[in-house]
């Protein structure tokens, strides 16, 4: 079985890519999140921004904070999503469907969705780095025991 990441250089590059992602996420939180979320998530988001700006992206608890914020933003985006239905009863409409719907976002939900995309990318990349490093530790333990 071939591992998806097969060199230390690749994992180092992936870990290094978390830093610019963290800066982008912090900017997104500051510009698109803080003024649109309720008080509880807002306080946690401010703490997360401070940690991300300080470069403490691999500190314990960062993944949990990201996970919580992603969940809060996801709920806010869902709340700001609505459906618009269009109708076409004209004789030129030869399809069996006389109506269709499009999902749309409020401007606030759209801003949150933009920040959410970056936060999810940061969360996924950080998780991958953590998983890979955890797997390396387990393998080192198995090798030393053998």
């Amino acid at each position: 079985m071939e591992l998806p990441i097969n060199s230390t250089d690749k994992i180092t590059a992936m870990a290094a890519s978390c830093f610019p992602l963290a800066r982008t996420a912090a900017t997104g939180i500051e510009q698109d999140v803080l003024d649109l979320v309720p008080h509880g998530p807002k306080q946690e988001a401010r703490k997360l921004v401070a940690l991300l700006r300080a470069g403490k992206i691999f500190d314990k608890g960062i993944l949990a904070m990201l996970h919580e914020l992603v969940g809060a933003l996801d709920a806010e985006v869902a709340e700001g999503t609505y459906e618009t239905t269009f109708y076409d009863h004209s004789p030129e409409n030869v399809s069996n469907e006389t109506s269709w719907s499009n999902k749309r976002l409020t401007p606030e939900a759209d801003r949150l969705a933009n920040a959410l995309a970056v936060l999810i990318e940061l969360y996924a990349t950080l998780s991958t780095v953590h998983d890979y490093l955890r797997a390396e530790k387990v393998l080192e333990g198995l090798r030393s025991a053998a």
Side-chain angles (χ1 to χ4, degrees):
M1 182 172 132
E2 186 176 323
L3 291 174
I5 300 171
N6 56 11
S7 80
T8 304
D9 291 341
K10 287 183 182 176
I11 194 66
T12 301
M14 185 179 292
S17 74
C18 291
F19 288 98
L21 272 174
R23 284 191 302 276
T24 304
T27 300
I29 292 169
E30 289 170 338
Q31 293 183 358
D32 292 329
V33 172
L34 291 178
D35 58 335
L36 298 175
V37 294
H39 181 72
K42 183 184 295 190
Q43 297 308 315
E44 290 302 310
R46 282 190 177 126
K47 290 177 193 173
L48 181 59
V49 166
L51 292 169
L52 295 177
R53 291 272 184 223
K56 298 181 178 184
I57 59 175
F58 294 107
D59 285 10
K60 187 174 183 166
I62 293 293
L63 282 176
M65 291 175 82
L66 279 168
H67 183 25
E68 289 297 318
L69 185 57
V70 164
L73 293 183
D74 191 44
E76 292 290 323
V77 170
E79 192 174 304
T81 302
Y82 62 96
E83 261 186 49
T84 304
T85 304
F86 301 92
Y87 298 94
D88 184 2
H89 299 291
S90 69
E92 291 85 13
N93 182 3
V94 294
S95 73
N96 292 332
E97 302 297 324
T98 57
S99 67
W100 64 94
S101 298
N102 284 341
K103 286 192 177 187
R104 300 194 181 236
L105 299 175
T106 62
E108 294 82 8
D110 189 48
R111 285 177 55 197
L112 292 174
N114 290 336
L116 183 59
V118 175
L119 290 169
I120 289 172
E121 185 177 356
L122 175 60
Y123 181 81
T125 307
L126 274 174
S127 294
T128 301
V129 171
H130 281 278
D131 290 345
Y132 185 78
L133 295 175
R134 202 171 302 126
E136 275 187 346
K137 282 184 181 181
V138 168
L139 286 174
E140 285 173 10
L142 290 172
R143 287 182 184 125
S144 66

